[in-house]
């Protein structure tokens, strides 16, 4: 499976946008890019996924580079509830998700 | 609707004891996954079921770990002769389909196992 690289940690001020980067340089043509997040003391939860085009949902936006070797999760207005570890994956019909260490987002009031 | 539930939420075991952790997936979900999450780390894959069939158990760390899903719904992860290194949060997830790369996994809250 294609592996991903994310920064270990990021900080954001409350109510400001947050851009969480992910590199996936070995991605293949039909691999989907998924993002999950894990709030403290909870199981991971799905955030968003995409293939080629940028995607929006009620939680976030996903911007995918034209060559698909990187993507950015965008939280338009960070709230304290968005403080979590964010995981980026490349999914190839795989029967498991390789989490890695993700990016720990701290939101500053 | 109900999400994925796990029980117990917390389990303390003495070293050498056997434990059984239960997962109730979302009704109708075909795929079920178990993960182990050590403190401060990301979850690591243990095993995967498609209905009642255990199609991948490559992540189980030793033969002390055993999982089953006999009727294709509820699953149990059993750990025999627990060791201190087994202390972790055990996460269960389910998804609707069969390994489609657009499928979403829905996670339970996890069972925190502490082995003394």
């Amino acid at each position: 499976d294609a592996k991903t690289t994310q920064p270990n940690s990021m900080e954001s001020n409350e109510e400001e946008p947050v851009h969480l980067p992910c590199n996936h340089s070995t991605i293949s043509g039909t691999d989907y890019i998924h993002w999950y997040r894990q709030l403290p003391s909870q199981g991971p939860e799905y955030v968003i996924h995409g293939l080629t085009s940028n995607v929006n949902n009620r939680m976030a936006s996903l911007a995918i580079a034209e060559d698909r070797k990187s993507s950015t999760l965008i939280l338009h207005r960070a709230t304290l509830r968005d403080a979590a570890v964010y995981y980026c994956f490349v999914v190839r019909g795989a029967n498991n998700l390789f989490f890695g260490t993700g990016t720990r987002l701290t939101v500053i009031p | 609707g109900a999400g994925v539930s796990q029980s117990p939420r917390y389990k303390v075991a003495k070293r050498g004891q056997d434990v059984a952790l239960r997962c109730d997936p979302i009704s109708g979900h075909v795929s079920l996954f178990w993960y182990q999450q050590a403190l401060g780390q990301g979850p690591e894959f243990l095993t995967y079921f498609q209905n009642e069939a255990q199609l991948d158990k490559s992540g189980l760390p030793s033969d002390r770990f055993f999982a089953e899903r006999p009727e294709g719904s509820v699953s149990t992860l059993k750990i025999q002769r627990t060791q201190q290194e087994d202390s972790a949060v055990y996460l269960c997830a389910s998804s609707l389909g069969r390994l489609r790369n657009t499928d979403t996994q829905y996670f339970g809250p996890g069972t925190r196992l502490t082995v003394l």
Side-chain angles (χ1 to χ4, degrees):
Chain A
D1 287 343
K3 294 299 189 285
T4 61
T5 304
Q6 299 177 256
N8 287 334
S9 63
M10 292 185 66
E11 287 187 351
S12 173
N13 293 319
E14 194 176 9
E15 298 189 3
E16 291 190 355
V18 183
H19 291 230
L20 299 166
C22 180
N23 290 321
H24 27 77
S25 58
T26 60
I27 193 169
S28 296
T30 57
D31 295 345
Y32 274 74
I33 301 157
H34 288 240
W35 284 79
Y36 283 68
R37 71 180 184 180
Q38 188 171 23
L39 282 72
S41 302
Q42 296 188 23
E45 64 176 353
Y46 167 81
V47 178
I48 200 166
H49 74 273
L51 182 62
T52 55
S53 304
N54 294 345
V55 183
N56 299 292
N57 66 21
R58 64 176 179 81
M59 291 180 69
S61 295
L62 176 61
I64 301 172
E66 192 170 341
D67 64 4
R68 302 207 324 123
K69 293 184 183 302
S70 66
S71 62
T72 302
L73 180 70
I74 302 166
L75 307 179
H76 295 287
R77 286 180 70 244
T79 70
L80 296 178
R81 290 191 68 254
D82 292 323
V85 179
Y86 287 78
Y87 297 98
C88 163
F89 310 93
V90 171
V91 179
R92 188 177 294 164
N95 56 6
N96 67 79
L97 301 176
F98 177 75
F99 279 82
T101 55
T103 297
R104 181 174 299 279
L105 175 65
T106 301
V107 179
I108 302 168
Chain B
V4 177
S5 61
Q6 294 186 244
S7 60
R9 289 294 313 277
Y10 303 91
K11 177 68 179 178
V12 178
K14 293 182 179 179
R15 191 175 54 173
Q17 282 185 331
D18 298 349
V19 297
L21 312 179
R22 177 186 170 107
C23 172
D24 285 78
I26 294 173
S27 179
H29 277 198
V30 168
S31 295
L32 185 144
F33 310 79
W34 283 99
Y35 295 85
Q36 179 190 58
Q37 185 170 24
L39 189 64
Q41 303 296 313
E44 293 191 359
F45 170 78
L46 294 177
T47 187
Y48 164 72
F49 289 86
Q50 191 175 103
N51 295 309
E52 70 278 4
Q54 189 175 19
L55 298 187
D56 187 344
K57 52 183 180 180
S58 62
L60 295 176
S62 77
D63 58 8
R64 296 186 296 104
F65 286 70
F66 171 77
E68 60 182 5
R69 192 185 185 199
E71 297 180 357
S73 55
V74 172
S75 177
T76 304
L77 176 66
K78 298 179 180 178
I79 309 173
Q80 297 177 324
R81 305 181 303 282
T82 53
Q83 304 294 315
Q84 285 188 321
E85 61 264 28
D86 300 335
S87 296
V89 174
Y90 291 85
L91 293 162
C92 175
S94 69
S95 68
L96 181 62
R98 293 180 173 86
L99 304 185
R100 297 173 303 196
N101 57 10
T102 54
D103 281 343
T104 297
Q105 290 194 22
Y106 296 87
F107 284 80
T111 294
R112 180 177 298 278
L113 172 66
T114 303
V115 181
L116 302 176

